[in-house]
Amino acid sequence: MTLRKRLPALLLAVVLAVSLSGCAIPIPGFADYDVSGYVKALLDSSYHQENEEFMSITGATKTAAQQNNTDTVENAAVLFCNTYGLYPNEEQLQELQEVMRTVYRQTQYTVKEEQKTDKGYYIEVEIRPIINFQNRTAELAKLKTEAQDEAIAQNRSNTSSEDSSEDSGESDGYGDDYDGYGEDEESWEEETESSESSAESSQPPAKTVDPNELYVEKAIAFCKTETDKISYADADKTITISLEILQTEAGELQLDMNQIGMIDKTVVYLTK
């Protein structure tokens, strides 16, 4: 029987160094590793926010483990924006990230048992992709047009209201026969003060509606609706992502994080 060893905390560096194309993890003295266990723990942490196994395998803190999910949903939100031409403000981006966090919690995948090779390890991850956000160009384009039309109409309405308010303010408010020097001067002063107070309390000009912000709001609402009815690819259309983890002569394992990025893009299709 082969004694299987857990991957030590040094492997955590690989998870956090997502921008790197490859990382070396020295693990001297170990002949076999529970690589599939580590990959599953990483994916569970990144997608489902299930961090216990990842923390146990790597020795990571809770904060460090939670960063896996944070990085994943941030990347997904940016990819969605790039795909469908959204330019959210900071608040809208955070809202979209929360939507993506909900979506990724529902991902389905199976990590197969690793196979030892002459160069290291070979692992397959079988995925049933979420397809709610795939090929939605037409729907998003319609929302964008609606946002532009609504913004134009609202801004025109605001302008008309302001013009009407200015026109009605041209009168002095005292009638055509009033010369301002009537016998009751005290009454005239009170009316003047009342008029000035009314002008000061008038509503400020309506805020201009930004069609881009309105489009982003509509797109986020669309995404929220989709999270309530998650759909997966047909069972016979599962996708298998192959991971090759190299092992050097010094006993180091080299994990290419681009392979994990490929899984990110497959569990939830965010392409046109």
Side-chain angles (χ1 to χ4, degrees):
M1 177 181 294
T2 302
L3 181 63
R4 308 189 66 76
K5 301 291 185 178
R6 293 289 191 184
L7 292 176
L10 282 174
L11 195 50
L12 176 62
V14 179
V15 181
L16 301 182
V18 176
S19 61
L20 300 180
S21 60
C23 298
I25 313 98
I27 314 178
F30 291 153
D32 267 329
Y33 316 105
D34 185 9
V35 180
S36 61
Y38 167 74
V39 172
K40 184 179 186 304
L42 171 59
L43 298 184
D44 289 347
S45 175
S46 299
Y47 305 148
H48 300 164
Q49 290 184 289
E50 298 172 357
N51 297 317
E52 290 76 12
E53 190 66 18
F54 180 83
M55 293 166 61
S56 174
I57 290 175
T58 65
T61 63
K62 184 176 182 180
T63 299
Q66 289 175 338
Q67 190 64 39
N68 293 328
N69 180 257
T70 298
D71 291 341
T72 298
V73 298
E74 286 180 351
N75 290 338
V78 170
L79 180 58
F80 183 85
C81 290
N82 290 342
T83 300
Y84 294 113
L86 273 67
Y87 300 93
N89 57 36
E90 187 62 32
E91 182 178 348
Q92 289 174 327
L93 181 59
Q94 291 179 1
E95 188 174 4
L96 183 57
Q97 289 171 2
E98 287 305 311
V99 173
M100 290 303 166
R101 180 170 282 113
T102 300
V103 173
Y104 272 82
R105 285 196 192 106
Q106 303 178 68
T107 53
Q108 296 183 0
Y109 50 86
T110 301
V111 180
K112 302 297 185 64
E113 186 72 12
E114 76 266 19
Q115 301 176 31
K116 191 72 173 68
T117 67
D118 294 338
K119 296 182 179 181
Y121 293 89
Y122 173 83
I123 300 176
E124 291 184 345
V125 180
E126 189 175 85
I127 301 167
R128 191 177 180 191
I130 290 175
I131 58 175
N132 293 67
F133 307 98
Q134 182 187 22
N135 300 326
R136 308 310 292 265
T137 303
E139 290 94 332
L140 272 296
K142 182 179 179 180
L143 293 179
K144 187 173 185 178
T145 299
E146 290 178 358
Q148 292 171 340
D149 292 344
E150 290 178 18
I152 291 173
Q154 186 62 50
N155 290 333
R156 284 177 178 172
S157 176
N158 292 342
T159 301
S160 299
S161 298
E162 291 173 7
D163 291 343
S164 176
S165 176
E166 291 175 0
D167 291 341
S168 63
E170 291 179 356
S171 171
D172 58 14
Y174 303 115
D176 295 338
D177 296 333
Y178 185 73
D179 60 8
Y181 297 97
E183 294 179 357
D184 191 353
E185 184 174 348
E186 181 178 349
S187 175
W188 173 80
E189 291 176 350
E190 291 175 355
E191 289 182 6
T192 301
E193 292 173 356
S194 176
S195 177
E196 292 174 350
S197 175
S198 177
E200 291 174 356
S201 63
S202 62
Q203 294 295 323
K207 181 181 177 182
T208 300
V209 178
D210 185 339
N212 174 69
E213 288 187 1
L214 185 56
Y215 169 46
V216 175
E217 289 176 5
K218 288 178 174 292
I220 292 175
F222 167 81
C223 290
K224 288 181 177 179
T225 301
E226 291 298 314
T227 63
D228 296 331
K229 50 178 182 180
I230 290 296
S231 299
Y232 300 88
D234 294 339
D236 60 346
K237 294 183 179 180
T238 57
I239 295 177
T240 299
I241 302 295
S242 301
L243 303 181
E244 293 184 3
I245 303 176
L246 303 180
Q247 184 173 17
T248 67
E249 294 181 358
E252 299 174 340
L253 296 182
Q254 294 182 324
L255 176 60
D256 185 347
M257 293 307 293
N258 288 325
Q259 298 176 96
I260 300 298
M262 182 63 68
I263 297 177
D264 290 347
K265 295 178 181 179
T266 304
V267 290
V268 178
Y269 275 147
L270 293 176
T271 55
K272 292 184 179 180

